[in-house]
Amino acid sequence: FVGLKVTLPPGDGPFLSIIDTGGAAPQYVQNAASPGIRRPSFQIVCRARTYTDAMTMARSAYSALGKVRNMLLSGAYYLKIEPMQEPFDLGADETGRPKLAFNIHVTKRS
């Protein structure tokens, strides 16, 4: 699920959401008019029936994303994806499901 305004389906999950958090300024290469490198950032939020289930999903996503180096994914070339901290507790969501998150920094070619 992408964004803050997405309605999650009912149930225990687990559910993973990706929320755009802005990121760093792009990098321009030599005299190019448009950026050569983009550096967005995102928050990964995991919800599940239990804290353990939410943490398991968060750690799986953390591990998978942290391995991305010099990869072409869905037509975009990712130089790297870096988790910015370990998963942390955000408390319960509006339905009482535990909610854990971590932030990532992405470096990709334009």
Side-chain angles (χ1 to χ4, degrees), residues 27 35-40 42 71 76-81 105-110:
Q27 296 176 337
I37 304 290
R38 299 220 181 257
R39 302 182 304 164
F42 302 90
M71 284 185 188
Y77 190 81
Y78 290 82
L79 299 162
K80 61 185 171 180
I81 297 178
H105 178 77
V106 176
T107 306
K108 67 179 189 170
R109 289 187 187 152
S110 291

Side-chain angles (χ1 to χ4, degrees), residues 41-102:
S41 61
F42 302 90
Q43 185 171 73
I44 309 300
V45 181
C46 300
R47 296 171 179 85
R49 181 177 57 84
T50 67
Y51 183 92
T52 301
D53 291 344
M55 181 59 83
T56 297
M57 177 178 248
R59 291 209 179 276
S60 293
Y62 181 97
S63 177
L65 291 167
K67 292 176 184 174
V68 174
R69 297 283 186 275
N70 301 313
M71 284 185 188
L72 185 64
L73 301 170
S74 299
Y77 190 81
Y78 290 82
L79 299 162
K80 61 185 171 180
I81 297 178
E82 300 174 290
M84 297 168 66
Q85 74 276 104
E86 295 289 321
F88 57 90
D89 189 352
L90 288 175
D93 71 6
E94 61 282 351
T95 66
R97 295 177 290 222
K99 188 165 68 167
L100 288 101
F102 64 94

